[in-house]
Amino acid sequence: MIEEREQDAAVKARHRTMWAMGDYAAVAAQVIPELGATLVRAVGVGPGMRVLDVAAGTGNAALPAARTGAEVVAGDLTPELLAIGQASAEREGVTLTWEEADAEALPYADGAFDAVLSCVGVMFAPRHRVAADELLRVCRPGGTIGLVNWTPEGFVGQLFAAMRPYAPPPPPGAQPPPLWGDEDHVRELFGDRVDALTLGRDAVVVNRFATPGQFRDFFATHYGPTVAVYRANAGDPERTVGLDRALTELAARHLAGGVMRWEYLLVTARRA
């Protein structure tokens, strides 16, 4: 048991370090700025609601939720991201609470929130069942769970597939993040603990990159998971060239006229 706790702590420490790499705030603001607001609208967040944004990052969903007048808590494993989000909220004059919180062990009471959200966040918790259990636990009966998850078949799912041969092996028991974008997987995770489950695929339009090389360079320096993979191969020029090629070719297949479409799964469910 002690060994398991130590292993879990080491995994969480690596996740914190990975997401603090690069500049995720720039990714959220420049590449997917409206994705959180899309989730907030789908869930119907409004004044007076108690809302938790799980794996909130810099507040892509938490900030638009707070703008509706909801009482929002933004929780994330990485304090560096929370600090950036909090500074943005203060500049804007938006009030919400920012707290360090592990999606697999949320520090909140059962049924504490009317709505529990996560915008391409909780999908990166390594143990999907544990994370799903926590989303359900902190949502009150009759409350709403709302998620946006990248799909395995979409661009970001394919990005992780392209990086996999160059990445260190995942920790034991970890599941691939894009599985959260598979409808059957989500149904299995939630089961009969939810009703009014809706699952719909859509795509965010990304017009940030004029060329495949621009995408590769931006993600190699800004997106934590990609930065981490590049660092893992920094001592091997041949593998670094192969990683460059894999990301450039991926972007070339998806980029047309300076526009990409990144598919996601929008999930809403009522806690039974």
Side-chain angles (χ1 to χ4, degrees), residues 8-151:
D8 186 60
V11 169
K12 299 302 166 62
R14 288 197 295 272
H15 269 250
R16 287 189 187 95
T17 300
M18 179 183 72
W19 288 107
M21 292 177 179
D23 184 359
Y24 185 73
V27 177
Q30 298 178 31
V31 183
I32 54 169
E34 298 302 320
L35 200 53
T38 297
L39 176 60
V40 168
R41 287 191 299 270
V43 170
V45 173
M49 291 178 64
R50 298 165 299 161
V51 177
L52 174 65
D53 184 10
V54 178
T58 55
N60 195 264
L63 286 167
R67 293 185 195 115
T68 72
E71 181 183 331
V72 179
V73 176
D76 197 275
L77 194 64
T78 305
E80 292 88 345
L81 299 184
L82 293 172
I84 294 169
Q86 185 170 11
S88 297
E90 290 173 355
R91 286 194 299 271
E92 190 180 335
V94 177
T95 301
L96 63 158
T97 301
W98 302 84
E99 295 181 342
E100 190 170 338
D102 180 355
E104 296 184 349
L106 294 170
Y108 308 111
D110 297 359
F113 297 95
D114 300 309
V116 178
L117 315 179
S118 191
C119 182
V120 295
V122 74
M123 62 181 290
F124 292 100
R127 297 175 297 176
H128 294 186
R129 171 71 67 185
V130 175
D133 289 350
E134 283 295 273
L135 296 177
L136 290 161
R137 181 184 65 78
V138 301
C139 185
R140 67 166 175 82
T144 304
I145 295 168
L147 311 172
V148 166
N149 303 320
W150 301 121
T151 66

